[in-house]
Amino acid sequence: MAQGKQKKPTVDEVISKAVIATRLSCAREPKDVFKATEKRLYAYPVLQAKIKDDEEMLEEIEQYGLRGRSKSITRFIKSGIRLEPDEIKEAVMLDLRATIDGDKYEISRIDKAIEQIADDEYRDIIRYKYFEQKSEDEIADLMHCAPRTVRAHKSRLVGRLSVFLYGAGALA
């Protein structure tokens, strides 16, 4: 074969490269999707409160402007380019809107995952445990079952949510 010409990859080589790429992308997922799902569920009510707070802050900035020099403002000034106060205000507001949108997206992903267990008779365990921070004993009393039953169904439900949130990587 002459130099400069590249050999066309075979189908097997292309498939092999695709498999390697898939493995690498799966490696970026959390090692323990169960714990990662629990972390996302615990964060849900905090994210809701944060969105509300950030939206109020955005309204305040729109109405009254920026207060003094916060870290978010100095981040835009350090670039070496001197920005006008209106440009800084717009940049801070844009940054805040992006944060709000990211948090809303996470809330919507969790909401969609929870829709997957809407028909399960033990679905309230998720709300009690992660959104209301109730103990297993408290949940057992509310659901008229044993704490062991709460643990078993919580694990099963978090597993189902993990599959929705992380895909096939959660099945390993």
Side-chain angles (χ1 to χ4, degrees), residues 76-94:
F76 295 109
I77 295 173
K78 286 182 182 176
S79 65
I81 300 170
R82 188 76 177 151
L83 299 175
E84 295 298 317
D86 285 345
E87 293 172 321
I88 294 170
K89 176 182 171 184
E90 281 302 313
V92 169
M93 288 172 50
L94 182 66

Side-chain angles (χ1 to χ4, degrees), residues 42 124-151 154:
Y42 278 125
D124 290 338
I125 291 172
I126 298 299
R127 179 172 47 91
Y128 292 142
K129 177 70 178 169
Y130 299 102
F131 303 165
E132 298 177 16
Q133 284 80 43
K134 294 194 182 302
S135 71
E136 288 175 354
D137 290 333
E138 291 172 314
I139 297 169
D141 287 343
L142 289 167
M143 300 204 63
H144 310 290
C145 63
R148 184 175 182 186
T149 303
V150 171
R151 280 191 298 279
K154 177 191 69 110

Side-chain angles (χ1 to χ4, degrees), residues 33-44 106 110 130:
V33 293
F34 186 91
K35 285 184 180 177
T37 300
E38 285 192 309
K39 190 174 184 178
R40 290 172 84 170
L41 291 170
Y42 278 125
Y44 185 89
E106 177 64 14
I110 295 168
Y130 299 102

Side-chain angles (χ1 to χ4, degrees), residues 55-94:
E55 287 174 337
E56 289 171 1
M57 186 186 311
L58 185 61
E59 279 183 39
E60 186 179 306
I61 291 170
E62 287 173 344
Q63 195 169 20
Y64 302 109
L66 296 168
R67 289 192 220 159
R69 287 189 180 261
S70 71
K71 289 180 184 175
S72 61
I73 296 171
T74 55
R75 182 168 59 109
F76 295 109
I77 295 173
K78 286 182 182 176
S79 65
I81 300 170
R82 188 76 177 151
L83 299 175
E84 295 298 317
D86 285 345
E87 293 172 321
I88 294 170
K89 176 182 171 184
E90 281 302 313
V92 169
M93 288 172 50
L94 182 66

Side-chain angles (χ1 to χ4, degrees), residues 94-142:
L94 182 66
D95 194 44
L96 192 51
R97 283 187 192 107
T99 299
I100 291 168
D101 288 344
D103 292 344
K104 283 182 176 180
Y105 178 76
E106 177 64 14
I107 291 287
S108 75
R109 293 293 303 154
I110 295 168
D111 286 340
K112 286 178 184 174
I114 289 172
E115 286 174 17
Q116 305 305 306
I117 62 168
D119 61 341
D120 194 291
E121 70 176 296
Y122 291 97
R123 69 186 171 277
D124 290 338
I125 291 172
I126 298 299
R127 179 172 47 91
Y128 292 142
K129 177 70 178 169
Y130 299 102
F131 303 165
E132 298 177 16
Q133 284 80 43
K134 294 194 182 302
S135 71
E136 288 175 354
D137 290 333
E138 291 172 314
I139 297 169
D141 287 343
L142 289 167

